Amino acid sequence: MIGIVFFFSSRRRHTRYISVTGVQTCALPISGLDLEFGFVTQETGAENVMDINGTYKNGNYTVAIEILTANEVIDNSIMLLGNVGLPMGFGVTGRIEKVAFDLAGEPDTDVVTVAGTYQAAENLSVLLELRSFDNGKLGGDTNSLTAEFVTKF
């Protein structure tokens, strides 16, 4: 399966984000560390979401963690990510996610993703992503292959 993904949002929501770069520890900043806290409230009756994430970059290497909690459909989720930038605009990313649901009878979902990226131009990148879902149900495992073209305007 190959798909092209575009993201648009038309729902009204209130977003509050606090971003901390170079967190202070013993009065010394940690170079390459970014922390972010976000809280989103929905006017349409959908769930409120709290998101905490941290990213550490050192040269061509990136590691990240994200913890998300909500109050309706999703109970919580956690994501761990590692990325390596390679020569000539290429990169490789691995990601592990676990999502716990609030819905009765809905099992936790585990997702493992491996992706390759290529920076084709300054404003165009190409992503090829293999994703494996395991939702704990018999016959609930699925795999998908996605190609994305991302451009900056």
Side-chain angles (χ1 to χ4, degrees):
M1 174 172 64
I2 296 178
I4 297 176
V5 180
F6 296 95
F7 296 96
F8 297 97
S9 177
S10 62
R11 264 195 272 180
R12 289 184 50 144
R13 59 182 163 211
H14 302 286
T15 305
R16 296 168 189 90
Y17 266 95
I18 299 170
S19 184
V20 180
T21 304
V23 176
Q24 296 291 326
T25 304
C26 300
L28 296 173
I30 300 172
S31 178
L33 180 65
D34 292 320
L35 298 176
E36 189 172 73
F37 172 81
F39 187 76
V40 179
T41 58
Q42 306 283 344
E43 288 183 2
T44 61
E47 60 191 327
N48 297 322
V49 177
M50 183 179 69
D51 183 40
I52 301 169
N53 63 67
T55 304
Y56 178 71
K57 295 180 182 180
N58 188 350
N60 290 339
Y61 301 96
T62 302
V63 292
I65 185 169
E66 180 174 36
I67 300 169
L68 181 136
T69 62
N71 63 348
E72 295 291 329
V73 177
I74 295 175
D75 182 30
N76 61 66
S77 74
I78 186 165
M79 182 273 305
L80 300 171
L81 175 138
N83 176 274
V84 178
L86 302 172
M88 299 181 58
F90 289 93
V92 177
T93 300
R95 183 173 62 229
I96 299 171
E97 302 168 76
K98 184 165 190 78
V99 181
F101 292 94
D102 269 344
L103 300 174
E106 190 65 36
D108 294 352
T109 299
D110 298 318
V111 182
V112 176
T113 305
V114 177
T117 59
Y118 175 64
Q119 190 72 38
E122 185 178 330
N123 65 343
L124 176 65
S125 60
V126 180
L127 172 93
L128 186 62
E129 179 179 89
L130 176 61
R131 183 176 280 192
S132 176
F133 295 88
D134 178 5
N135 68 0
K137 293 181 181 177
L138 184 62
D141 298 352
T142 58
N143 296 311
S144 67
L145 180 64
T146 306
E148 297 178 19
F149 300 87
V150 181
T151 186
K152 297 178 186 175
F153 297 102

